[in-house]
Amino acid sequence: MANEISAPSADGVPSDGENVTVAGMNAYLSRPPEASTGGMLLLPSITGISPQLREFADGLAAAGVTALSWDIWRGRPGSDDPAQMETQFQWASELDDESSLTEMGKLLDHMFDELGCRQVGVIGWCIGGRFALLFGGRDSRLANVVAYHPTVPGSPAPNHTLDATEFTARIAGPAMMLYPGADEVVPVESFHRLQDALNSRTTGPSIAHVYPGAGHGFTARALHGNPVNKAATDLSWPQVIAFIRATTLV
């Protein structure tokens, strides 16, 4: 039962997943021990399919949910090493919103058509959190949307051609957004716009969490030297797992 609710620790959840190819794309697949019709599409942070992202995927599988992770860097290695951050920021500036959403749609198709999933949601962290909001507004098949500290700055990056607030208002299903109160990348005004967009919907419950004192990307283990970030991760992950199970294992 512990693996179902606890956040990935320094030791991590044992990696039981595998690297797979879907429609010509790399992906990381982690499946529950027993057959499941619930699934989650994972959209990584700037660190890509890193060791910690694999742990999140394996943790979802341990909770009974099939987890398929999008390779945001298209074959280039993911890494939790802060020394790689500058390179990863450069890669992030080259991402295209529309082509990225197209790739996610192909992965979602695969989950429904090939992996036996009937209810599939999407969860993303940082840059992946923004993509989760965009994809949630684009694809009405999604059973839920979870956006961990989504990177939606006050002034959009040049390659952010789609408006995250506009797409957030279109999300059809239940949505959960988790915001760090000391986010140095996303001003509180941006969070309020996203929250207002969620609350403007006439369908789909909305859950918004605020973690005072936590910084942007607080789930990243590299930032857990700050005890506030670690506490926010430890508190939020079990609630995210419960939300995912309630919306996909039905």
Side-chain angles (χ1 to χ4, degrees):
M1 184 68 175
N3 281 350
E4 294 186 6
I5 60 172
S6 60
S9 64
D11 295 329
V13 178
S15 180
D16 296 323
E18 60 179 331
N19 297 318
V20 297
T21 301
V22 177
M25 298 179 291
N26 298 318
Y28 178 73
L29 174 63
S30 192
R31 307 195 71 166
E34 299 180 2
S36 173
T37 58
M40 289 296 292
L41 176 62
L42 279 64
L43 310 181
S45 72
I46 200 168
T47 56
I49 300 183
S50 64
Q52 188 174 12
L53 190 280
R54 293 171 187 263
E55 291 173 15
F56 281 123
D58 295 342
L60 286 171
V65 179
T66 297
L68 184 66
S69 301
W70 174 50
D71 181 10
I72 189 172
W73 300 140
R74 302 178 173 99
R76 293 174 290 194
S79 173
D80 295 320
D81 184 355
Q84 300 298 316
M85 198 66 69
E86 184 175 349
T87 298
Q88 292 162 339
F89 275 120
Q90 176 59 41
W91 293 347
S93 71
E94 299 167 359
L95 284 172
D96 175 75
D97 283 348
E98 288 290 355
S99 61
S100 296
L101 293 180
T102 296
E103 291 185 2
M104 295 170 206
K106 292 178 180 179
L107 294 174
L108 186 61
D109 290 342
H110 180 75
M111 297 186 78
F112 283 121
D113 298 340
E114 304 296 335
L115 298 183
C117 297
R118 297 178 185 172
Q119 298 286 334
V120 181
V122 62
I123 179 172
W125 294 260
C126 295
I127 187 172
R130 174 179 176 270
F131 275 126
L133 296 173
L134 292 178
F135 193 46
R138 172 65 60 85
D139 200 312
S140 62
R141 295 177 294 171
L142 290 166
N144 66 50
V145 174
V146 180
Y148 251 118
H149 35 73
T151 304
V152 183
S155 298
N159 62 325
H160 289 184
T161 56
L162 300 179
D163 185 340
T165 302
E166 177 184 342
F167 276 69
T168 297
R170 300 177 187 173
I171 295 172
M176 174 182 278
M177 183 169 54
L178 304 99
Y179 177 74
D183 197 319
E184 67 280 11
V185 176
V186 180
V188 67
E189 292 81 9
S190 291
F191 165 67
H192 287 157
R193 284 194 293 271
L194 293 171
Q195 187 177 26
D196 289 345
L198 284 178
N199 292 339
S200 72
R201 303 178 304 148
T202 57
T203 61
S206 303
I207 301 173
H209 290 185
V210 177
Y211 294 89
H216 185 75
F218 66 82
T219 52
R221 197 155 50 228
L223 300 180
H224 286 182
N226 180 345
V228 177
N229 290 334
K230 185 178 187 305
T233 303
D234 291 343
L235 178 62
S236 63
W237 184 243
Q239 298 177 77
V240 168
I241 289 284
F243 176 75
I244 289 171
R245 287 175 55 87
T247 51
T248 63
L249 300 181
V250 294

